[in-house]
Each structure stands twice: as C-alpha cells, then as structure tokens.
C-alpha cells in the first residue's frame, strides 16, 4: 500500500518534419506528472496538451521552448502570449546535435484555467498537438508543423518504473555488455570494487538501452551506477 502507483503514455511521436515527442507519466503518490519532451534544439517548438486535432493551441496546456521553458497561451494566429502562471519545472535540459530533450514536472491538478488538468483516477488518455518554427529565425505561430497524436495511459508497477529492474547481460562479460531498462537510461558510471571511478557512458536521448565497451578495463568485478533524471541504481558486472 505504500508503493507509488504510476501510469504512462509511453513515447508519443509527432513526426512531421523535425520530430517532436512526448512521454507523460502520472504518479499518484506524489500527485505529479513528468513529461519527457523532445524537439529541435535550434528553433522554437511547442506542445499543446489535451487539444483536438486541427487545434490552434488556444485550449489546453501549451508549452513553448527555445533556450528556456515558457508556459504560453496560444490564441488565434498571433504570437503566443506568456501565461501569467508557470506551472512546469525543468528537471533537465539536454542538447545533442539538433535535438533538445527536456524533463519537466508539474502537479497533476491546479487552479490555473490555462492548464490541462490530469487527476490520476480519471485521466486515462491524452491528446497532444505539436508546433514548431519552420526556420531558425521564424517565431512560432499558433499553427506550426508538428502533427497530432493520442495515447492511452498504461499502469506501471514500481519495478517497471525503476532503474533497479534493469538487466545487465552478458554477465560475466569480456568487456562488451548491454544494460536494458524499462525506463529512460541517461548514463552509466563504472567504478572498481574499491570505489575508483573508471569511465562514464552517456545514453542517446530517450534511450532505454546502452551498449558498453569496457574491454580496456582489467579483469575483475566492477560496480555500475545507472542514472536518469529521477532515479539511480547500482549493479555489478564481472569482466573476464
């Protein structure tokens, strides 16, 4: 009864031109929603939450990102106005090449009329619309090129949502091994048994599996630290 219950949409893809993706996870214990959002790193892009296909982002929860998150209210064809209340908090902001990945959180419900409310018990599906600027120098209007998607939430148990459930294989290994998780895997730090840091391996954006090449390490037992924006876990690997 003390375990948190979570449910997730998985990755929702808006593949129109430069892709925009969104992954929502609702947590009943903390009463928060976590949004992992990806889009272009070199121009404005936005996300409308809880909107209908063909929307112009005048309804629901609208996010816009350039180099800093801003919570906006899209109405008609004008430039999006900044919402008076910023409900989302940026947990992480990573750029690799032309792709920006954001981890954002906010309360499931609040009193902001411009926010799409997500009570845990009754939020079983969600629809999103994306918008992005057509060039690096064009401001984002309320009708961009980002697509539309809907998804149903799937309940996760604690182990599904934890890095502790990650698999390391083969183990023992000759130095080449894989780590697979059911959640996002941002990086792996490798340490000797005495705690000496050996190396770091960074994951691709939104990755849940990393391929590790540690053939340069001497034979022995190593500790590997798995990390993402909200979780950390430790595993052992034997290199023969």
């Amino acid at each position: 009864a003390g375990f948190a219950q979570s449910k997730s949409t998985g990755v929702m893809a808006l593949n129109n031109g430069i892709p925009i993706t969104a992954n929502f996870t609702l947590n009943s214990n903390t009463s928060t929603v976590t949004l992992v959002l990806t889009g272009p790193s070199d121009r404005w892009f936005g996300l409308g939450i809880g909107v209908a296909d063909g929307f112009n982002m005048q309804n629901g929860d609208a996010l816009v990102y350039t180099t800093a998150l801003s919570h906006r209210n899209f109405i008609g064809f004008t430039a999006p106005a900044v919402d008076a209340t910023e409900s989302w908090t940026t947990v992480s902001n990573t750029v690799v090449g032309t792709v920006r990945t954001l981890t954002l959180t906010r309360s499931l419900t609040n009193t902001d009329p411009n926010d799409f409310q997500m009570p845990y018990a009754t939020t079983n599906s969600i629809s999103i619309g994306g918008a992005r600027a057509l060039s690096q120098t064009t401001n984002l209007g309320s009708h961009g090129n980002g697509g539309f998607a809907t998804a149903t939430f799937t309940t996760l148990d604690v182990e599904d949502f934890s890095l502790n459930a990650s698999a390391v294989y083969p183990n023992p290994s000759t130095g080449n091994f894989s780590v697979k998780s059911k959640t996002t895997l941002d990086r792996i730090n490798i340490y000797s048994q005495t705690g000496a840091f050996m190396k770091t391996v960074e994951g691709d954006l939104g990755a849940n599996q990393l391929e590790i090449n540690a053939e340069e390490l001497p034979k022995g037992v190593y500790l590997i630290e798995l990390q993402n924006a909200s979780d950390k876990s430790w595993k052992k690997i034997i290199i023969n």
Side-chain angles (χ1 to χ4, degrees), residues 7-15 19-25 34-39 47 99 101-102 126 128 148-154 156 161 181-185 204-208:
K7 54 187 179 182
S8 175
T9 60
V11 177
M12 306 169 69
L14 306 173
N15 293 314
I20 298 172
T21 71
N23 187 344
F24 294 86
T25 300
T34 299
L35 167 61
V36 179
L37 175 65
T38 74
L47 188 71
V99 179
T101 297
L102 306 162
I126 200 167
I128 59 172
F148 176 81
T150 62
T152 300
F153 283 93
T154 300
L156 306 172
F161 194 56
S181 173
K182 292 183 180 180
T183 186
T184 303
L185 187 56
D204 292 331
L205 298 177
N208 64 356

Side-chain angles (χ1 to χ4, degrees), residues 6 27 34 36 91-92 103 105 156-166 181-189 224-235:
S6 299
N27 187 300
T34 299
V36 179
V91 177
S92 65
T103 301
T105 62
L156 306 172
D157 60 34
V158 172
E159 285 301 303
D160 280 335
F161 194 56
S162 170
L163 285 175
N164 192 49
S166 301
S181 173
K182 292 183 180 180
T183 186
T184 303
L185 187 56
D186 292 342
R187 71 184 57 82
I188 292 176
N189 299 317
I224 55 176
E225 180 187 29
L226 317 182
Q227 293 183 352
N228 63 23
S230 59
D231 197 8
K232 180 187 295 186
S233 183
W234 292 86
K235 301 289 183 180

Side-chain angles (χ1 to χ4, degrees), residues 15-74:
N15 293 314
N16 187 349
I18 299 174
I20 298 172
T21 71
N23 187 344
F24 294 86
T25 300
L26 311 186
N27 187 300
S28 64
N29 190 47
T30 61
S31 297
T32 57
V33 52
T34 299
L35 167 61
V36 179
L37 175 65
T38 74
S41 64
D42 60 353
R43 67 197 67 195
W44 285 75
F45 71 95
L47 188 71
I49 305 171
V51 297
D53 196 3
F55 80 118
N56 60 2
M57 296 182 87
Q58 78 274 28
N59 297 313
D61 203 333
L63 306 174
V64 181
Y65 206 95
T66 48
T67 57
L69 174 73
S70 58
H71 192 190
R72 303 223 167 198
N73 187 11
F74 282 54

